[in-house]
Amino acid sequence: MGEDAILKDNGLSANEINHVPRAGFWKSFKIKIETWRHNPLLLLSFILFILFVLTALWVIFATIVWPVENAEFFRQRIPIDQRRYIEVWGPTIIPDDKEFVDVQFTLHQENIIPIPVSVELSMPRQFVIVSPTNEQSRSTVIKFDKRSLEETQTIRVANAHIVNGLGTEARMVYVTQISESNRGLDSFALTAEGSLRAKLRNYGGSNGQIPLFPLTTLFLSVATFIFQEIGRRRKEREDKEKEKKKEREDKEKEKKKEAEDAITKQREKAKADLINIREALQQMRIDDAQAIIKEIQQGDIRQYIEKDLQIAQGLVAMALGEMDSKPSAFPPDQWMKEAASVLLYLAEHNPKDRSKLEKILREFPLDQVEDSDMRKNLETAKSIVSETKTPAQTRAPLYPPKRQFQKFAPPIEYFDHNPFPFETAEEDECFLFTEGNALFWSDHPLTKDLKSARGATLVTGEAGIGKTALAQALGNYRYVLVDPRSFSIGLQGIPTLEDICEKLARRLLDFVERLPSFLILLNEEQRSLLGQTLIATLDKGTVIGRLGLASDTSKWNWLNDAGSSEEKRKIWKAEASVHLRMLLDSVSNSTPHITSNRQWALAFTTCLRSLGFENAVYIAIDSGENFNWDWYEETILDHQYYWKDLDLHSITFCPSEKVGNSRKQIGTVKSFELKWDEKQLEKWAHWRWESVYGGARKEGVLFDRDPLQALLKASRGNPRCFIRLWNALARSKQKLTFTITDIKKAKEQIDCS
């Protein structure tokens, strides 16, 4: 610390500090004098410190050092001759505060000598002898006249009180033998105590006394020092407190300023973020708005825009399909543009619940939307969702792939395509059930009966009679017979019940994949039941994978075929996409809970009704040569009691010889036999011909009336036999017309058994 700082701490003003001399020792000394002059307590502290030190020394010397010294004794031999000596014993120091002290002289002799011994003591002036004569003198004679080996004489010596100060004076005492020659024997030392020392020793508490005066002085000095120290420390503490208080105040001011600056920055950031949120909502960048809101929630600025943030959160949740989370007042005040954009985004991307969306659009003030394009799009969305759960797609059936008609080989004059190219329904499937011009003839009388059959139905017939084609029409391609709202499947051979359930589930999954817009017909419970039904029979991974592929909107050609405006297609696409996604989530989160075949059938038919399939469900089985009664009873008949209650029916096709003549096995099963007469076969042939070439070309071009009848008769009411004869004629003759002779030749070439 500098000198100026020291002076300033001791109360000197700046002017006084400037007048303090600055030169060497005198400079330092005068600085201290000036310091003490301006700070008497500092001088008092110094004096008390010195007094404390001196008093402490006084107590130490008065109670310890000096009493110890005064308690020391000396012992000295003074020889007289070879057989005698005098031993002197006494205190080393003669105290100033005592009347006298005893000094002993003892004569020691080896043999008793009858001659007495006398010695003279010569004292210095610092001492006086007060005995044995009781007169104060500086010399005395000690006589040893007893005849013994040891004789002791005592004299009393007092301090002459001529030594002052704190010290002592040692002087020699001379011993002289009184005889004829007065021979000096020896000397010994005595020390006289100073009078000041004796007084200090007495006041200091020697000889077991309590040193009241020094203790009082000591206590006073200590108390004063302590008081001064306490005052000094208090002042230092107060100064430090003041300094700390000032620092705290400065820090608080700084913190307050920083806090105010931070609050200002936070407010500005909150406003900027709110502007960004509103811009993102207006531009339908919902993900960006959601990201900004999430960042705000994790920070400290939400308190500045709490109300607006709640509105923004509600709008974002609404845009993501959570329509129940929309702001209580919709559209919110001053948020018209954002609300309109969010509403359009909801309609175009997440229309999960058409009824809720329709209600929101109906109540929304479209006339207040300033953007004309936005208003037009919202009006379009409103018109779409106002249609009570009407899917964007029609119930288009699953058609077989298209194929070109085969040409005659070799070619026939005037004709290119062969109307009867294949003998089996499996080969002819693409033409029998093709889109727009199916060649299946549905006017056979048995077809009409089977379309509305109930319960278990058994259809028999010979080979080539058309059982497989009819089974396909009633199973996989029922649309050629009845309303597309009928659901049916076709199977080959003798499937197990598990195979039937799997085929039903796959057919249902095919429907969902092809026509995802129908999922809008389902509510949450129905969607969950659909997922449960699918994974109870099909592998869960398979279902998830197929639904995932079906969610690829780039392959949705039906959108392009739907026509209408771009906005409508966008909303239809969003509806189908979001409902597919919800079904996919439902399947992913589901575990199979359906435990019995009856429960599964009930769940399956419930799903069909939810998707608008109002008619009965049909299972058409072309069992062929594999048919047997054990399988039929176990797989079909044993489940009829609950299938019938669920409006689920079966039609089984088998060869006539497999049924036999025993009708008792059939029981309640309805049995039909498929057969053709010539009239029905002729109508069927005309139907195929006209479906390929149109009504302008009559049979007379190919046949005269009699040859046609001959061909029909030769076919024996069997369509396959007719097709074989026809193709044999086509191969044998390329010039028209065909004659009866041609037919006979063809019949000879083929086997119609």
Side-chain angles (χ1 to χ4, degrees):
M1 182 181 291
E3 295 177 358
D4 292 348
I6 295 174
L7 294 174
K8 187 174 181 181
D9 287 344
N10 287 279
L12 269 67
S13 64
N15 187 45
E16 290 172 325
I17 292 173
N18 292 332
H19 288 81
V20 174
R22 303 173 181 269
F25 170 79
W26 289 108
K27 169 185 167 183
S28 300
F29 179 74
K30 289 182 179 181
I31 287 175
K32 294 185 181 299
I33 295 299
E34 290 295 328
T35 301
W36 291 342
R37 184 169 65 84
H38 288 86
N39 193 349
L41 288 177
L42 187 61
L43 177 61
L44 179 60
S45 298
F46 177 75
I47 294 173
L48 288 175
F49 176 75
I50 298 299
L51 181 60
F52 172 78
V53 173
L54 293 177
T55 305
L57 292 175
W58 178 12
V59 172
I60 292 171
F61 276 88
T63 58
I64 300 175
V65 178
W66 292 340
V68 170
E69 290 178 350
N70 287 3
E72 291 180 356
F73 283 77
F74 73 93
R75 187 183 296 275
Q76 184 175 340
R77 286 185 178 188
I78 299 176
I80 297 175
D81 52 32
Q82 293 180 351
R83 292 180 296 176
R84 295 179 295 177
Y85 66 87
I86 297 173
E87 184 180 44
V88 183
W89 179 85
T92 302
I93 297 176
I94 308 302
D96 184 77
D97 57 340
K98 288 188 177 182
E99 293 181 0
F100 58 85
V101 295
D102 292 334
V103 180
Q104 295 180 357
F105 294 84
T106 303
L107 174 65
H108 296 271
Q109 45 188 355
E110 296 179 0
N111 298 313
I112 298 175
I113 300 176
I115 301 174
V117 176
S118 298
V119 294
E120 181 181 8
L121 299 179
S122 298
M123 293 284 179
R125 65 186 184 87
Q126 284 82 4
F127 309 101
V128 294
I129 301 173
V130 296
S131 69
T133 59
N134 290 327
E135 294 180 359
Q136 295 184 359
S137 64
R138 285 196 295 276
S139 66
T140 186
V141 176
I142 302 173
K143 294 180 179 182
F144 301 98
D145 53 4
K146 294 180 179 181
R147 296 181 179 182
S148 61
L149 293 175
E150 291 184 1
E151 181 180 353
T152 301
Q153 297 290 338
T154 301
I155 65 171
R156 294 179 175 176
V157 180
N159 193 313
H161 307 299
I162 62 173
V163 178
N164 300 315
L166 295 174
T168 58
E169 289 187 11
R171 292 289 184 268
M172 301 302 295
V173 178
Y174 296 97
V175 181
T176 303
Q177 183 179 4
I178 299 176
S179 63
E180 293 177 356
S181 58
N182 289 333
R183 181 171 60 91
L185 296 178
D186 202 349
S187 62
F188 61 89
L190 290 177
T191 302
E193 182 183 26
S195 58
L196 180 58
R197 167 175 159 161
K199 288 182 176 59
L200 291 176
R201 181 167 51 77
N202 287 330
Y203 287 119
S206 63
N207 300 324
Q209 297 177 2
I210 297 175
L212 295 177
F213 180 75
L215 285 179
T216 302
T217 306
L218 183 63
F219 289 154
L220 287 174
S221 62
V222 170
T224 305
F225 178 77
I226 292 174
F227 176 77
Q228 173 63 22
E229 185 67 16
I230 291 173
R232 184 183 65 79
R233 292 187 179 184
R234 183 187 296 114
K235 185 176 182 303
E236 288 180 355
R237 191 162 52 250
E238 290 175 353
D239 292 342
K240 288 181 179 179
E241 287 295 330
K242 289 180 180 178
E243 185 176 352
K244 288 181 179 179
K245 183 178 180 181
K246 187 175 182 302
E247 289 179 358
R248 284 197 300 269
E249 290 176 351
D250 293 342
K251 287 182 179 179
E252 287 176 359
K253 290 180 181 178
E254 185 176 353
K255 287 182 179 179
K256 186 176 180 181
K257 187 176 181 303
E258 290 177 355
E260 290 176 351
D261 293 341
I263 290 173
T264 302
K265 290 180 180 179
Q266 288 178 343
R267 288 183 185 277
E268 293 175 353
K269 188 177 186 307
K271 291 180 180 178
D273 286 348
L274 182 60
I275 292 173
N276 292 335
I277 291 173
R278 298 187 68 155
E279 288 179 352
L281 291 176
Q282 290 176 15
Q283 299 170 10
M284 292 193 286
R285 293 183 288 107
I286 305 302
D287 291 341
D288 293 344
Q290 188 178 27
I292 299 172
I293 291 174
K294 185 177 181 181
E295 181 182 353
I296 292 174
Q297 289 175 330
Q298 294 175 348
D300 301 325
I301 64 174
R302 64 174 301 166
Q303 56 184 320
Y304 306 112
I305 53 172
E306 187 70 35
K307 183 178 179 181
D308 290 326
L309 186 62
Q310 290 179 355
I311 294 174
Q313 286 178 292
L315 291 176
V316 169
M318 181 180 174
L320 296 177
E322 303 299 329
M323 284 175 269
D324 293 334
S325 300
K326 68 180 179 65
S328 55
F330 188 81
D333 188 27
Q334 306 298 324
W335 287 73
M336 177 58 71
K337 291 182 179 180
E338 293 80 0
S341 298
V342 164
L343 194 52
L344 184 59
Y345 183 90
L346 172 63
E348 292 179 349
H349 295 83
N350 291 296
K352 295 181 180 180
D353 192 322
R354 181 178 282 197
S355 59
K356 290 182 180 180
L357 179 57
E358 189 274 332
K359 181 181 178 183
I360 296 173
L361 282 167
R362 186 176 65 250
E363 297 174 353
F364 191 80
L366 293 176
D367 56 328
Q368 297 181 19
V369 178
E370 298 178 357
D371 190 328
S372 59
D373 292 336
M374 177 72 70
R375 184 169 60 252
K376 181 180 178 181
N377 291 337
L378 287 173
E379 289 173 349
T380 302
K382 181 178 179 181
S383 66
I384 293 174
V385 300
S386 297
E387 302 170 3
T388 307
K389 287 197 171 182
T390 302
Q393 296 168 274
T394 59
R395 291 180 184 273
L398 182 61
Y399 298 102
K402 290 185 177 182
R403 290 177 58 182
Q404 294 292 331
F405 271 101
Q406 288 192 351
K407 295 184 178 182
F408 288 108
I412 295 178
E413 187 179 17
Y414 306 122
F415 298 98
D416 294 327
H417 300 108
N418 185 357
F420 308 99
F422 304 112
E423 294 182 5
T424 64
E426 291 86 353
E427 295 176 300
D428 206 23
E429 182 177 1
C430 293
F431 304 121
L432 287 173
F433 309 106
T434 187
E435 181 182 2
N437 190 24
L439 299 184
F440 181 82
W441 187 59
S442 59
D443 290 337
H444 192 285
L446 182 58
T447 303
K448 297 178 181 179
D449 294 332
L450 295 179
K451 286 193 299 185
S452 57
R454 292 292 184 267
T457 302
L458 191 62
V459 180
T460 62
E462 65 181 22
I465 203 69
K467 298 188 301 297
T468 299
L470 187 54
Q472 289 179 333
L474 292 170
N476 294 330
Y477 305 106
R478 197 173 183 84
Y479 58 86
V480 299
L481 304 176
V482 294
D483 191 318
R485 286 178 295 178
S486 296
F487 191 93
S488 59
I489 60 170
L491 299 100
Q492 299 286 331
I494 50 174
T496 63
L497 181 62
E498 289 72 19
D499 294 334
I500 294 172
C501 293
E502 181 180 350
K503 185 63 179 289
L504 288 169
R506 287 188 181 278
R507 187 80 170 191
L508 179 57
L509 183 57
D510 289 338
F511 176 82
V512 171
E513 286 183 278
R514 292 187 302 107
L515 307 173
S517 65
F518 279 80
L519 291 175
I520 69 168
L521 301 175
L522 306 181
N523 57 32
E524 185 175 355
E525 292 180 356
Q526 293 167 335
R527 190 163 45 246
S528 177
L529 181 62
L530 176 58
Q532 286 283 337
T533 304
L534 291 175
I535 65 174
T537 304
L538 303 177
D539 177 68
K540 185 175 182 178
T542 300
V543 177
I544 293 175
R546 291 184 60 176
L547 290 177
L549 291 174
S551 301
D552 185 1
T553 57
S554 64
K555 299 179 181 179
W556 288 4
N557 297 325
W558 60 269
L559 279 173
N560 298 327
D561 299 336
S564 195
S565 66
E566 178 65 26
E567 185 61 29
K568 284 188 177 182
R569 288 196 296 272
K570 188 181 294 184
I571 295 175
W572 288 335
K573 176 182 177 181
E575 267 193 331
S577 179
V578 73
H579 282 83
L580 257 178
R581 186 171 67 248
M582 289 191 293
L583 177 59
L584 186 59
D585 293 340
S586 179
V587 171
S588 300
N589 298 326
S590 295
T591 54
H593 295 300
I594 300 173
T595 57
S596 68
N597 293 323
R598 184 172 185 176
Q599 284 182 341
W600 187 88
L602 175 60
F604 175 78
T605 53
T606 303
C607 291
L608 291 182
R609 303 296 178 258
S610 301
L611 291 169
F613 289 100
E614 301 173 355
N615 299 332
V617 180
Y618 284 90
I619 302 169
I621 303 174
D622 182 18
S623 60
E625 296 295 331
N626 297 318
F627 178 87
N628 63 81
W629 282 107
D630 291 338
W631 163 80
Y632 191 68
E633 289 178 358
E634 179 183 353
T635 305
I636 305 300
L637 298 183
D638 287 351
H639 302 281
Q640 281 300 309
Y641 72 98
Y642 66 86
W643 280 9
K644 188 174 181 180
D645 293 339
L646 299 175
D647 209 10
L648 192 154
H649 312 287
S650 66
I651 304 174
T652 305
F653 295 84
C654 68
S656 300
E657 62 270 17
K658 290 293 182 178
V659 176
N661 297 322
S662 178
R663 297 298 179 185
K664 64 178 182 178
Q665 296 185 21
I666 298 178
T668 58
V669 177
K670 294 180 181 179
S671 178
F672 297 92
E673 183 180 6
L674 177 59
K675 55 187 178 179
W676 300 72
D677 59 23
E678 292 184 6
K679 191 67 175 176
Q680 294 167 350
L681 198 61
E682 183 180 2
K683 289 182 179 180
W684 165 76
H686 278 290
W687 165 263
R688 291 281 301 230
W689 183 267
E690 292 179 1
S691 297
V692 176
Y693 289 108
R697 296 181 177 181
K698 299 297 182 181
E699 69 278 0
V701 178
L702 296 173
F703 299 99
D704 291 329
R705 180 65 184 171
D706 291 338
L708 176 58
Q709 293 302 316
L711 178 60
L712 294 172
K713 187 174 183 179
S715 300
R716 296 185 296 106
N718 190 299
R720 182 180 296 173
C721 186
F722 179 90
I723 294 173
R724 286 180 178 177
L725 289 170
W726 165 261
N727 285 304
L729 287 172
R731 287 193 298 270
S732 64
K733 186 177 181 180
Q734 285 74 48
K735 295 289 185 178
L736 300 179
T737 62
F738 297 129
T739 65
I740 294 177
T741 303
D742 296 331
I743 295 171
K744 288 180 179 180
K745 290 181 180 179
K747 187 176 181 181
E748 293 173 356
Q749 297 174 5
I750 66 168
D751 180 14
C752 284
S753 58

